[in-house]
Amino acid sequence: QYIVDQHPKNEVVVPAKARIGQIMIRRGDEQGAEALFQKILADYKDHPRLAEAVHRMADGYLDQAIAIEQDAAKQMGAAKYAQTVREQGRPEAVKNYCRWAIEKWQITIRELPPAPRYTEQAWYFTGVVYRRHLGEPEKALPYYQKVVDAWGRSTNTPGAPRP
């Protein structure tokens, strides 16, 4: 908040605002976080760090889904929680947070100009969420394939051969 208040023209304001949105999500203020997110999209539509901000918001939703699962595993015991997930599926709240994360990554993928690192992460984490958290591996495959197709062309891929 300090950066946002004291240095409103600084380039890190956009990702800093997204971090505030992450905190709002963690505190259970999804409506406030979403309102902030929509304001970021409207106010900074041409900002060079917008993809980073969108990624931070998606991370906030995924982090909340994971936190819910960790809390449940702690309360029930990890083995019991895993059995419950196998038999009944993940809690609806976890699924909702995962869907909201995917929704944000789709903005990066479909609406923003390609951004090194963040576009690839959006593909990858969308695949992870579909496969690991929503149990829909068939939906994960196209996103993983995009990562494979981009591997080697990206300056952000460690160990990738360079053309």
Side-chain angles (χ1 to χ4, degrees):
Q1 188 66 53
Y2 174 81
I3 292 169
V4 171
D5 292 342
Q6 299 299 316
H7 306 282
K9 302 268 187 224
N10 191 301
E11 74 171 35
V12 299
V13 165
V14 177
K17 284 185 177 188
R19 289 280 188 194
I20 292 168
Q22 284 180 304
I23 293 167
M24 294 168 86
I25 292 165
R26 189 70 171 134
R27 291 181 176 168
D29 184 8
E30 293 85 6
Q31 287 182 333
E34 187 61 27
L36 176 61
F37 179 70
Q38 293 303 321
K39 186 158 176 44
I40 290 169
L41 283 176
D43 292 351
Y44 300 99
K45 63 182 178 204
D46 296 321
H47 196 279
R49 295 186 73 175
L50 182 58
E52 178 183 354
V54 173
H55 185 73
R56 300 264 176 255
M57 291 298 288
D59 275 351
Y61 286 116
L62 180 57
D63 288 347
Q64 186 66 0
I66 292 168
I68 291 169
E69 291 205 294
Q70 288 173 337
D71 289 346
K74 191 181 222 179
Q75 289 176 6
M76 298 173 77
K80 178 70 174 161
Y81 180 70
Q83 178 183 354
T84 301
V85 168
R86 278 192 303 277
E87 293 171 358
Q88 301 171 16
R90 299 200 187 284
E92 207 52 42
V94 170
K95 292 178 189 177
N96 287 336
Y97 281 109
C98 287
R99 289 181 192 114
W100 293 330
I102 289 171
E103 179 184 289
K104 301 309 174 223
W105 285 313
Q106 290 303 304
I107 291 169
T108 300
I109 292 167
R110 295 181 177 158
E111 298 176 26
L112 299 180
R117 181 176 176 196
Y118 295 106
T119 302
E120 293 157 358
Q121 286 184 10
W123 295 331
Y124 175 74
F125 285 110
T126 297
V128 167
V129 170
Y130 274 129
R131 181 184 57 84
R132 184 181 297 166
H133 300 282
L134 295 176
E136 300 179 49
E138 67 286 349
K139 288 185 177 179
L141 286 174
Y143 294 99
Y144 287 144
Q145 188 61 52
K146 292 288 278 182
V147 174
V148 169
D149 292 345
W151 191 80
R153 292 192 314 253
S154 170
T155 58
N156 295 306
T157 310
R162 300 291 175 238

